[in-house]
Amino acid sequence: MIKLALCDDEAEQRTAVGTLLREYAAARPALAVKLSVFSSSRDLLAAAEECGGFDLYVLDIVMPELSGIDLGVRLRELYSGGAIIYLTISPEYAVDSYAARAFYYLMKPAEPDKLFPVLDQAVEALEKKKTACVAVRTKDGLLRLRLDEILYTELAGRSVRYHLADGSSLDSVTVRRPFQEEISPLLADRRFFLCGASFAVNLFYVAAVEKGFLRMDGGARVPLARGLAAQAKRRWSDYWLDAPGGEAL
């Protein structure tokens, strides 16, 4: 099932886009789309907090109290990994959309020939994220972790500690290989960046590159090895800017 959230404070736009989303879902019954419609950012944010987030968001940008950009940033702070598609009235908001790590942005009014292919791309990306896993040997046995739930990893004694997006962590059994070799399945995915001899981060959850640290969503600060700041900034920027990113304006 795909949990889809639409938020627009204008009733006319909400109805028009909602109709398009229902048409999209009806044409793809295998997806089992569940659509939730909200008239305010705060209502959507409250619902996301209660249910753990949605898979896909279609958001207006210009809304009172909490803009679509601010809403997207708050959703990321809640560790909501859902793809965000912005609907905007002006190209000036395109750059701002990266603050919320938007999957795509489209100019209003939304039209099927532009919106539906973007939704297809987002759904495909979500399915890939959900199925990408790594096997971790723990004292309780072999455990499969989805890559999209790993915040960062570190070498803790003789084990690899996996810090997860929900705030929990788990340790592997004693490892006998170098840290970089042990986490090579993670590093093979473009989301992960080795930021020192003992740490690797999921770039999706990096909030800022600071002097000597990477600040993660939720406030954790992961040490950044000396000399890697420029590379970290480039990798972080490339991860977002090279992703599907918007309509040519």
Side-chain angles (χ1 to χ4, degrees), residues 12-72:
E12 184 177 343
Q13 286 290 327
R14 202 164 55 245
T15 298
V17 178
T19 298
L20 288 178
L21 295 177
R22 291 184 181 91
E23 290 177 0
Y24 175 83
R28 296 159 178 80
L31 290 180
V33 177
K34 180 181 180 182
L35 175 64
S36 299
V37 180
F38 302 89
S39 59
S40 78
S41 296
R42 297 198 182 280
D43 286 347
L44 171 52
L45 189 61
E49 289 177 333
E50 183 176 346
C51 74
F54 295 82
D55 299 307
L56 182 57
Y57 300 89
V58 178
L59 308 178
D60 182 26
I61 288 183
V62 181
M63 291 188 286
E65 294 187 359
L66 196 65
S67 73
I69 300 297
D70 292 335
L71 171 60

Side-chain angles (χ1 to χ4, degrees), residues 85-147:
I85 297 172
Y86 279 120
L87 302 179
T88 176
I89 59 174
S90 171
E92 68 181 280
Y93 298 108
V95 174
D96 293 337
S97 70
Y98 289 114
R101 306 166 203 173
F103 181 84
Y104 217 95
Y105 60 88
L106 288 169
M107 296 293 292
K108 287 185 175 181
E111 299 175 352
D113 62 335
K114 292 184 178 180
L115 178 60
F116 289 5
V118 173
L119 291 170
D120 283 338
Q121 292 176 35
V123 169
E124 181 180 1
L126 286 168
E127 292 302 319
K128 287 181 179 179
K129 284 179 64 177
K130 287 180 178 180
T131 56
C133 296
V134 63
V136 180
R137 295 189 182 277
T138 73
K139 61 182 179 60
D140 297 319
L142 192 65
L143 180 67
R144 283 180 47 186
L145 282 181
R146 295 200 322 270
L147 300 191

